[in-house]
Amino acid sequence: MEHPDRPLYRYRFDDAEYDEARTALYVGGQRVELEQRPLRVLALLLQHVDEVVPRAELFDKVWEGRPTVDNVLANAVAKLRKALGERAGARIINVPRVGYRLCGPVERIVAGRRSSAPFKLEAGQVVPGREHFILRECLDPAAGGSVWLVRHDKTGEQRVYKFASDGDRIDGLKREVTIHRLLRESLGEREDLVRIVDWNFDEPPCWLQSEYAGRDLASWAKEDAALADASCEARIAWFLQIAGAVAAAHNAGVLHKDLKPSNVLVAPRGDGWQFRVADFGSGRLLEPGKLEELGITRMGMTVTSALPTDSGVTLLYLAPEVLAGSAPSVQSDVYALGLILFQMVTGDFRRTLAPGWRQGIDDDLLCEDIAAATNGDPAHRLASVDALVQRLLSRDARAIERQRLRDSDARALAAERLLERSRARRPWLVAAIALLVLGLVTSLWQIRRVRAAQAEAQQQASRAEATNSFLNEYLLGAGFGTHSPAWNERNPRLSEILDVTAAKVDERFAREPLLRTTLHQTLAQAYRSTNDYAKAAVQIQAAVDGWQGLVGAADRRTIIAQYQLAQALAYLSRFKDAEALLDRADKAAGARRNEASEIALNAHLARADVAYQQLKPGQALPEYQSADRLQRLVQPQNTLMSAHILLAIAGCNLRTGNPKAAEVAARRVLAGPPYTRESIGLGAFAAARMRLGDALRGQGKYQQAIPVMQQALADYEQSEGADSQGAIIVLSRLSHLHSLTNDDAKALELQRDVYARAAKHWGADSQYALIELLNLGSSEHDTGDLQAAGLHLQQAVAGLAKVSGANSPAVQAGRVELARVLSDAGQNDKALAMLADVDPVAYQATTADPGQAELLQAIRAKIELRLHQAGAEARLRSAIVAMQKAGVAASEVDEFQKALAVDVGKR
């Protein structure tokens, strides 16, 4: 941080002038509106005229601790040069891979000194360094007055600023920024968490700027009638928004530690209300190592922190064990949420859990849930926020079961009392006859009921015995008997066992449609776990037909089976069939798609898988994120589904240019419980290793990625076989890694094997096999076989256009590869025309490799250079720099540098 008494200067060079005191840039006597960060870059360069300011120093001082990549600095410099104009802007020189220098001479005049007096927080004051933001209202007058609502004087936009001047408070702001970055990297942008926009820790006053997310919960309840007028169910639904945000933070490895009404913000949204959790300034990381994994600067984080001494923490919401000196935990956050739930239900944020707190709450189950969340003994408190959410969501079902038990008890008690009264009286004759008649009727009814129950029990027992016998004979003995040496000595794969079992289901359970349908659906899920989607589709289609015949098209089971069938069809590249089936299932599901239900979970998951298989990661990602949230609510114990969703989100991150986040997700699955080989299977571990290898490749760590991919291949071959989908995909990834390390011969050898396996496994006309044919053409191009490459690429592009559409991402990727071959064959006009309609975003979606948009720019410029187009050399040079900054493989960059050198040599 700069010394408070350092002089402030006015710098002049050419027709530009920068005033440090006003943080203002003037060019030709006119003030130029420019963002703060380019101005801060200029200030730093002017403080070191004719010196190279290292890139690391620029990042540290201008983007302290922010998630960023190299092109952010390049963009800021570009904006600065544009604002300065051609002559003054040319003074800023890029020193490749080192930093930037501003060339002198520069006139420097003292314009004043930085005031050492503290900044006064008063309404109407301008935020230092943010001259358009004006302080309007203090939001925490009773807590020191450091939180202010501000307003932009031109746009009217409202933001919230938190100011700090002493070390502890500054550390709190830094900690909040660090945790916000971790949550954003782990969870993406969420509507239920307050978004931090900007911050300043360079010079006093230090501040943090966040979006304005409304009034705090207690103020909202006091000033707006919405809570008072709302039903108990509506209040619980609002609370579930809050709990969902905290549960997500916990799943990302973050404790809040200071949950209270003032840290929950409420704002209108459509016809309802959006609740957001704010202020993680007292938070704690459950997995501190995640910061390093994500490349996040550890600002404001200490090794340990005892909560009771943290400033600003509200004791009322602290769990008893924390007050007694124990470390905060997930359960201490649960305690705070339980108290907030109680206060929301009662509509009074002054009430505490004093004796008699249940008065006024006429829902016994809700009282039990509050008590379970706020139990003073953590050993008897709910173990997680997800557990509290699940209890609240299941209240209706629990109430029905509770009433059934009460009715049963009431009938038993009434019968017992009637018997006691009959024993106590000397019956008259009429009464005796009536009693005999009643007894006879009752006995007959009981006999019939017992007989019916016995018949049902016998039927269920017969079903169970038949199912057990079937599973023993076919799943374990594969038709040879459970102790067959011929079968057991073969050590069969799961796929073989499933094939033998599936062949016998219809025959064995021809008269048991319910069991038959259930087994078909179970077999479909088992085939999916082995990546055999063709056989999975056959089984799930049988399940769809079975459920429709048994319970109708609108039943939950039929709808879920349809969603699962759509997923299988997508993996078979039958996208039109899959989307049509999704639409039918959505129509049958109706409003149930918007509830926290298994239907909604399967709907989001199916839509995500169908989009992802069509190489539409931007469309798939929000669907997977919704499925992730619902899975934790609806099926929290389903670790296999959790792993699938997590790895799918990682895949989307890879294809949208975020390999760091993908690496974190993959390592979470590989880190151990709850993800174990027993709970998710070896195939899922292989998928996680493949994702990790992709993430390492996306970061340019090719040598690290190769052994990870080799282990993934071994796992797939062991669990699913050498010709399985997983093994083929990993082998393709290995081929690509070898090409990136300049071992083109090895890459071509592997890719030929990949295509042969793919054509055999899926059929030559499937999307998977056509993509591998495209990859084969690319490998042949790398080894110089232009004739074979052109033939295979043309076949792949034509086939993919039929399967996935003429403008699908896969087709566009094929056009790019074909254009490169045509150009190397001297057909540059044709090559350039082929690139005309290629979308950089779609091209990036086809691979985890970074910088595909920059690569596409370089390919175009190289072809234009060969056509001697004006400006092509400059465009190619610019593209090469952009590729280097984006992390494109060195082998790719070398190709274009050589092309540039050849052109220069010819001239």
Side-chain angles (χ1 to χ4, degrees):
M1 188 175 295
E2 294 181 6
H3 193 279
D5 294 327
R6 184 183 75 81
L8 297 174
Y9 296 99
R10 185 179 298 114
Y11 298 91
R12 293 174 180 167
F13 53 102
D14 298 320
D15 60 345
E17 179 180 304
Y18 176 68
D19 190 333
E20 269 191 321
R22 299 182 179 182
T23 319
L25 174 64
Y26 301 86
V27 177
Q30 299 295 318
R31 181 162 182 171
V32 178
E33 292 294 335
L34 191 60
E35 299 168 13
Q36 286 296 314
R37 290 190 182 89
L39 286 175
R40 291 166 70 180
V41 169
L42 176 60
L44 203 55
L45 294 175
L46 287 169
Q47 290 168 20
H48 302 278
V49 174
D50 286 325
E51 299 176 16
V52 176
V53 180
R55 304 169 71 86
E57 183 177 347
L58 287 164
F59 279 137
D60 287 343
K61 293 191 175 180
V62 179
W63 287 274
E64 180 181 354
R66 286 164 173 73
T68 186
V69 292
D70 282 355
N71 65 335
V72 173
L73 175 56
N75 289 339
V77 172
K79 291 176 182 178
L80 182 56
R81 285 172 173 158
K82 182 177 180 180
L84 289 170
E86 184 175 356
R87 184 177 178 185
R91 287 175 176 253
I92 300 176
I93 304 300
N94 177 22
V95 181
R97 302 187 181 184
V98 180
Y100 288 88
R101 178 178 71 243
L102 191 145
C103 299
V106 172
E107 179 183 359
R108 190 175 72 171
I109 304 170
V110 175
R113 290 186 176 275
R114 196 178 304 277
S115 174
S116 59
F119 169 64
K120 291 185 178 181
L121 294 172
E122 296 177 350
Q125 289 276 12
V126 176
V127 177
R130 297 293 183 270
E131 63 179 25
H132 292 296
F133 281 109
I134 313 298
L135 300 184
R136 292 302 183 195
E137 178 187 352
C138 179
L139 300 180
D140 66 336
S146 61
V147 182
W148 281 77
L149 178 66
V150 305
R151 185 181 180 89
H152 195 284
D153 64 356
K154 292 187 176 180
T155 66
E157 182 179 10
Q158 294 190 113
R159 295 283 174 84
V160 173
Y161 273 74
K162 294 181 182 180
F163 295 94
S165 55
D166 60 71
D168 289 341
R169 291 184 180 274
I170 292 172
D171 282 345
L173 294 187
K174 289 183 176 181
R175 182 163 54 246
E176 186 170 358
V177 168
T178 300
I179 291 176
H180 169 76
R181 292 185 57 211
L182 187 149
L183 291 174
R184 189 180 65 181
E185 288 290 334
S186 301
L187 306 174
E189 294 289 352
R190 292 179 62 98
E191 289 295 329
D192 50 13
L193 295 173
V194 173
R195 183 169 59 96
I196 295 176
V197 179
D198 197 6
W199 55 89
N200 163 56
F201 301 130
D202 287 336
E203 53 192 42
C206 295
W207 47 258
L208 175 156
Q209 179 194 150
S210 65
E211 65 178 336
Y212 176 65
R215 292 165 289 177
D216 71 81
L217 182 57
S219 299
W220 170 74
K222 183 178 180 181
E223 298 167 8
D224 197 293
L227 184 67
D229 294 343
S231 65
C232 182
E233 293 305 316
R235 298 180 188 193
I236 292 172
W238 288 336
F239 171 78
L240 287 172
Q241 289 189 41
I242 304 167
V246 178
H250 285 179
N251 290 332
V254 174
L255 294 181
H256 191 287
K257 290 180 34 180
D258 192 20
L259 290 167
K260 56 188 177 184
S262 61
N263 283 337
V264 176
L265 303 179
V266 189
R269 185 180 183 187
D271 296 331
W273 298 92
Q274 176 66 56
F275 292 72
R276 293 180 174 89
V277 175
D279 196 354
F280 282 83
S282 299
R284 173 185 172 189
L285 301 184
L286 296 172
E287 304 173 49
K290 287 185 69 173
L291 294 177
E292 284 70 30
E293 292 176 6
L294 291 168
I296 297 173
T297 304
R298 184 183 291 270
M299 294 195 301
M301 307 303 296
T302 55
V303 177
T304 60
S305 179
L307 185 68
T309 61
D310 287 348
S311 60
V313 171
T314 305
L315 299 182
L316 173 63
Y317 297 88
L318 287 185
E321 70 274 11
V322 178
L323 286 170
S326 296
S329 66
V330 167
Q331 287 177 290
S332 56
D333 275 359
V334 171
Y335 179 90
L337 282 175
L339 180 52
I340 292 172
L341 171 62
F342 164 69
Q343 293 175 330
M344 288 186 71
V345 168
T346 60
D348 186 351
F349 289 95
R350 296 169 298 177
R351 284 189 66 176
T352 62
L353 290 169
W357 64 266
R358 295 171 184 256
Q359 294 178 5
I361 305 177
D362 57 3
D363 185 329
D364 291 340
L365 290 174
L366 181 56
C367 287
E368 291 176 11
D369 295 340
I370 294 171
T374 58
N375 194 301
D377 183 355
H380 296 98
R381 191 181 306 150
L382 292 178
S384 68
V385 180
D386 282 333
L388 174 59
V389 168
Q390 188 59 36
R391 287 178 66 122
L392 293 172
L393 290 172
S394 63
R395 280 169 49 253
D396 288 344
R398 290 161 58 207
I400 292 171
E401 178 63 17
R402 181 71 57 86
Q403 188 60 47
R404 187 188 68 78
L405 293 174
R406 286 175 177 169
D407 292 345
S408 177
D409 291 344
R411 287 194 296 270
L413 181 61
E416 184 177 347
R417 288 175 177 172
L418 180 61
L419 181 61
E420 289 298 324
R421 285 199 301 271
S422 69
R423 287 173 177 170
R425 286 200 290 253
R426 184 183 298 274
W428 291 346
L429 180 59
V430 176
I433 293 173
L435 186 60
L436 287 172
V437 171
L438 176 63
L440 177 61
V441 172
T442 303
S443 296
L444 288 172
W445 174 78
Q446 288 176 336
I447 289 170
R448 288 175 181 170
R449 184 181 180 190
V450 168
R451 286 177 177 172
Q454 288 174 339
E456 175 65 20
Q458 289 174 354
Q459 189 177 23
Q460 293 290 345
S462 298
R463 287 175 178 170
E465 184 178 355
T467 304
N468 185 57
S469 173
F470 174 76
L471 295 176
N472 272 307
E473 182 176 354
Y474 289 97
L475 280 182
L476 301 178
F480 297 102
T482 56
H483 302 292
S484 168
W487 182 249
N488 293 326
E489 287 175 7
R490 282 187 55 200
N491 190 23
R493 293 192 181 91
L494 176 59
S495 58
E496 296 178 89
I497 299 172
L498 292 175
D499 288 345
V500 175
T501 305
K504 298 294 183 179
V505 170
D506 289 337
E507 175 186 343
R508 176 62 70 90
F509 296 103
R511 297 183 180 180
E512 292 283 356
L514 180 62
L515 267 176
R516 185 175 67 247
T517 301
T518 302
L519 283 169
H520 278 306
Q521 194 161 9
T522 302
L523 284 167
Q525 295 299 97
Y527 273 123
R528 277 198 60 179
S529 73
T530 66
N531 289 318
D532 193 335
Y533 291 98
K535 292 176 181 176
V538 172
Q539 294 298 320
I540 198 63
Q541 180 67 70
V544 169
D545 295 341
W547 287 125
Q548 283 183 331
L550 287 167
V551 294
D555 187 85
R556 172 184 63 85
R557 289 161 289 188
T558 305
I559 295 168
I560 290 174
Q562 287 179 321
Y563 283 130
Q564 293 171 351
L565 178 56
Q567 291 171 280
L569 293 176
Y571 281 98
L572 295 173
S573 305
R574 293 171 56 185
F575 301 124
K576 291 182 179 178
D577 293 340
E579 290 178 338
L581 190 57
L582 285 178
D583 292 338
R584 289 202 298 273
D586 285 349
K587 185 176 180 180
R592 289 175 288 180
R593 289 182 61 243
N594 301 319
E595 300 171 353
S597 64
E598 288 194 3
I599 284 180
L601 170 60
N602 280 273
H604 284 294
L605 197 51
R607 288 228 169 255
D609 279 353
V610 172
Y612 187 80
Q613 290 306 310
Q614 295 180 80
L615 302 178
K616 299 176 181 178
Q619 182 178 324
L621 183 57
E623 297 285 0
Y624 279 129
Q625 290 170 334
S626 296
D628 181 44
R629 176 179 60 83
L630 286 167
Q631 182 269 326
R632 292 197 297 270
L633 295 176
V634 177
Q635 294 188 23
Q637 304 306 317
N638 193 336
T639 51
L640 180 58
M641 179 181 287
S642 173
H644 167 73
I645 295 172
L646 198 59
L647 295 176
I649 290 174
C652 291
N653 285 328
L654 283 167
R655 295 183 183 277
T656 53
N658 194 354
K660 276 275 189 183
E663 180 183 355
V664 172
R667 290 192 186 279
R668 276 183 62 188
V669 176
L670 294 169
Y675 307 107
T676 63
R677 181 168 176 175
E678 290 73 23
S679 65
I680 66 174
L682 183 58
F685 268 103
R689 287 194 174 92
M690 180 176 70
R691 283 282 185 261
L692 177 58
D694 286 340
L696 293 170
R697 187 187 88 213
Q699 298 171 68
K701 302 174 182 178
Y702 309 130
Q703 296 301 332
Q704 294 181 39
I706 288 175
V708 173
M709 284 295 189
Q710 289 171 335
Q711 182 60 54
L713 178 62
D715 290 346
Y716 270 129
E717 290 181 337
Q718 178 183 343
S719 63
E720 300 173 9
D723 292 326
S724 65
Q725 173 173 316
I728 295 170
I729 292 174
V730 173
L731 197 62
S732 178
R733 302 285 211 280
L734 274 171
S735 170
H736 185 48
L737 280 168
H738 283 294
S739 73
L740 292 173
T741 55
N742 291 317
D743 192 350
D744 293 332
K746 180 66 174 178
L748 179 57
E749 176 190 345
L750 290 176
Q751 192 56 41
R752 284 173 175 156
D753 186 18
V754 169
Y755 176 64
R757 295 193 197 190
K760 177 183 176 182
H761 184 84
W762 291 293
D765 295 331
S766 71
Q767 175 176 261
Y768 291 107
L770 290 166
I771 286 176
E772 296 306 342
L773 181 60
L774 191 157
N775 291 333
L776 176 58
S778 179
S779 291
E780 289 166 336
H781 177 215
D782 290 340
T783 57
D785 190 348
L786 299 183
Q787 183 176 357
L791 177 63
H792 287 148
L793 289 170
Q794 286 175 345
Q795 291 176 354
V797 169
L800 286 167
K802 292 179 181 179
V803 173
S804 56
N807 291 313
S808 69
V811 169
Q812 296 195 50
R815 287 175 184 157
V816 173
E817 293 304 313
L818 187 53
R820 298 177 78 169
V821 172
L822 290 171
S823 178
D824 286 349
Q827 301 180 53
N828 290 298
D829 287 319
K830 190 174 181 180
L832 195 59
M834 187 159 287
L835 296 177
D837 297 324
V838 175
D839 177 15
V841 176
Y843 186 43
Q844 178 66 71
T846 63
T847 179
D849 294 334
Q852 296 305 287
E854 291 79 4
L855 175 60
L856 180 61
Q857 178 187 355
I859 294 170
R860 281 199 179 102
K862 177 183 174 183
I863 297 173
E864 291 167 347
L865 186 65
R866 287 174 169 176
L867 289 169
H868 308 294
Q869 290 189 5
E873 180 184 339
R875 288 193 292 274
L876 182 54
R877 290 185 186 276
S878 175
I880 289 172
V881 173
M883 288 169 64
Q884 291 171 326
K885 291 179 178 178
V888 174
S891 58
E892 291 276 19
V893 176
D894 288 345
E895 172 192 336
F896 297 97
Q897 288 176 328
K898 289 176 182 177
L900 191 61
V902 168
D903 182 75
V904 171
K906 288 180 179 179
R907 289 187 279 111

